[in-house]
Amino acid sequence: MSGATAETLDAVQSASGDSYKYGFFTDIEAETAPPGLNEDTIRFISAKKEEPQWLLDWRLEAYRVWLKMAEPHWAKLKVAPIDYQGATYYSAPKQDKDRPKSLDEIDPELLKTYEKLGIPLREREALAGIAVDAVFDSVSVATTFKGKLGEMGIIFCSFGEAVREHPELVRKYLGTVVPQGDNFFAALNSAVFSDGSFVYVPEGVRCPMELSTYFRINAANTGQFERTLLIADKGAYVSYLEGCTAPQRDENQLHAAVVELVALEGAQIKYSTVQNWYPGDAEGRGGIYNFVTKRGICKGDNSKISWTQVETGSAITWKYPSCILEGDNSVGEFYSVAITNNLQQADTGTKMIHIGKNTRSTIISKGISAGRGQNTYRGLVRMLPKAKNSRNFTQCDSLLVGDKCGAHTVPYVEIRNPSARAEHEATTSKVSDDQMFYCQQRGLSKEDALALIVNGFCKEVLKELPMEFAVEAQKLLAVSLEGSVG
Amino acid sequence: MLEIRNLHARIEEDGREILKGIDLSVKAGEVHAIMGPNGSGKSTLASVLAGRPGYEITEGSVTYQDRDLLGLAADERAREGIFLAFQYPVEIPGVNNMYFLRAALNAVRKQRGDKDLDAGQFLKAVRAKLKLLDIGEDLLQRAVNVGFSGGEKKRNEIFQMAMLEPKLAILDETDSGLDIDALRVVSNGVNRLRSPERAIVMITHYQRLLDYIEPDHVHVLSGGKIVLSGDKNLATELEKHGYAMLGDAA
């Protein structure tokens, strides 16, 4: 970033008094597709990525389905019209023709960006036990600890690389959990996705470190459409984390990602997200539109998928990480904290589809609304006729900070098997003046008091996060609530 | 240490005047008992001193360590050494009691210019105070006041007080709802915390607390004013004659 740009940004940031510390922009040479969306755009992306014909065909098929679909409006969200033709669908940091062989060949500006984000890409500096894949705008720029993982047969690489190096795996599983035409945003993603992460953990292998992807939107007017595909073969275990940030801009930017998880017999996948996209300013200007489709299938018996999410960012969050419990005795879990402050809106929850016998699911959702934020939990629990003796437990708590925000709970329960049971508990509470005064009387500032109370409220979910993320998430909750107590 | 002059306060919500000209002077090392019938303004006085929102000061002044106390926010007062033992300690679900206490202690220490205690030092301090107060460790790993019995809540308040080492401790009806054993534990705790640098203001409805914690001064509050002041014998008088005797004094 040039000195002048940095100064301007600093000035703007201090003037707006904004606390979003990831709002900087990196001045980097990028290769960008012309704005607009048509079959040529898709061919451009596919050609840039040197993809095989089958994948281009798959994208075009998705695009043709997308054209016939309508933007969904059933969520409790007010969304400004999205100009799909005005956006740019591909932006990649320009690199020398040959891809970088090592981090030393990566643009130093990029490395600096990730340093600012607190994500060390150099392995010697990396947090012990976390392998990182960094996705900058449309492409993956670096994956760490690849060699070490490779020795165990674990594949952890960018999606693009997986298409080149492991086409048989990608082809076998791509779109099997979230088909191209699943929904409007998933179809759009299928047509234009640019990169993302790919993970394969072979049979019987327990992945020894946390795998992590950090997503960063940098370029203006550019949508980010990444795609993550994670496969845990029989008896495998993997814990995967993703984090996201974006620069502070006045216009809204679209993020429409797809995540597919496949757990084969006896496999376990733990998928954690700390979503901190730019939320917009106090007046609701700017911020990311986060329309994401995440779904996992417990394909084999005795498999387990666990989603944990902490959603603090984005102007709009539309996201329902779900589990299809196909294998007998399979387990699905969803732990969620969603915060909306100022004019943020979130409509989030999960779907638990019980197909196999003795399948079990747990849903713990904690929604926090502050400022004029609107927070909706929307969840579906469906027990199909063969899901004998299946169980669901849902707990859905809402916490209100102030009196201008809203919390909404929309549970759907469908049971088509007499031996299946679903339990639903819901509470709504306010941060009480008594709690605030009690904390303050013990010496805590208003902000610290609120952060403490909110962290206590979210504890059941936060304890599901891997340690490094739990600390970050706690701090994020505090930052997200800044300005919500007078 | 604390000078209250002609203090008038009313409830913001309905404008009802509760305190109608309180005068009180408390020096370091002293223990004052404030007694009085229900509705006399005892708890309001405690709230106003601690800075609880919802009250409006309409007249008078409060000076604490030569500073205008009323100009400070509740958390600033706490960090300056004012501690209120709550009549109804508040539950904070999901927040570990130890974690809460450490956050509070470090906030207070920061104000004093002391360094944060690390986990080891903190635990050591906790153990020492527990021993001093004869309190078990059972409360430490539970969420703040959640599911605590009445006695446990009050013990926890005194334990917090011991850890935070306030200059001015205000005990609001700390004896209410305690059985005789719990009262003994809590009183012993308070007595051990008496020191020449620390002032204690006890608010109570009953004289029995004063059997365990002997005050230097006793004041009787009625109708928002202090109508009688004396030494510990005043409490015995009150016990004998009841608050009805105030009819003549007021």
Side-chain angles (χ1 to χ4, degrees), chain A residues 296-329:
Chain A
I297 183 163
C298 285
K299 203 146 181 66
D301 294 350
N302 306 308
S303 56
K304 177 177 174 181
I305 289 177
S306 181
W307 297 100
T308 305
Q309 61 172 22
V310 175
E311 304 281 321
T312 61
S314 296
I316 292 177
T317 297
W318 178 98
K319 161 175 187 200
Y320 314 89
S322 302
C323 298
I324 300 168
L325 304 173
E326 191 178 290
D328 291 347
N329 313 311

Side-chain angles (χ1 to χ4, degrees), chain A residues 168-186:
Chain A
E168 70 299 338
L169 282 172
V170 176
R171 211 169 170 177
K172 184 170 174 190
Y173 290 106
L174 179 68
T176 57
V177 192
V178 180
Q180 290 137 298
D182 187 78
N183 66 69
F184 183 82
F185 294 108

Side-chain angles (χ1 to χ4, degrees), chain A residues 432-435 437-446 452-453 455-457 459 474, chain B residues 52 75 78-79 82-84 86 90-95 99-100 104 107 145 157 160:
Chain A
S432 75
D433 295 344
D434 283 349
Q435 285 176 327
F437 176 60
Y438 190 71
C439 295
Q440 286 179 266
Q441 212 301 306
R442 296 300 181 253
L444 303 177
S445 68
K446 261 188 183 171
L452 187 92
I453 294 166
N455 273 311
F457 173 76
K459 193 180 177 188
Q474 284 199 7
Chain B
R52 186 194 283 269
D75 51 322
R79 292 194 293 270
I82 294 183
F83 180 91
L84 173 65
F86 282 56
V90 181
E91 298 185 359
I92 310 176
V95 177
Y99 181 85
F100 175 72
N145 292 320
E157 293 291 289
Q160 290 180 6

Side-chain angles (χ1 to χ4, degrees), chain B residues 34-37 204-205 207 210 218-221 227-228 232-246:
Chain B
I34 296 180
M35 305 184 64
T204 179
H205 186 78
Q207 192 262 340
L210 310 187
V218 175
H219 312 275
V220 179
L221 195 60
V227 293
L228 271 178
K232 62 180 180 184
N233 295 320
L234 178 58
T236 326
E237 287 283 298
L238 273 174
E239 184 74 0
K240 226 180 281 171
H241 303 291
Y243 288 113
M245 69 181 265
L246 297 179

Side-chain angles (χ1 to χ4, degrees), chain A residues 240-259:
Chain A
Y240 183 91
L241 330 165
E242 61 172 12
C244 345
T245 59
Q248 204 160 335
R249 297 184 187 283
D250 279 350
E251 66 275 13
N252 297 111
Q253 276 180 287
L254 179 62
H255 172 248
V258 170
V259 175

Side-chain angles (χ1 to χ4, degrees), chain B residues 163-175:
Chain B
M163 289 297 296
L164 297 176
E165 300 181 321
K167 295 182 185 121
L168 171 64
I170 304 162
L171 314 183
D172 188 8
E173 308 251 2
T174 292
D175 54 327

Side-chain angles (χ1 to χ4, degrees), chain B residues 13-31:
Chain B
E13 206 175 355
D14 58 11
R16 244 179 337 128
E17 186 169 61
I18 306 290
L19 302 183
K20 301 175 179 169
I22 303 267
D23 288 284
L24 183 67
S25 177
V26 179
K27 294 194 180 66
E30 293 180 344
V31 176

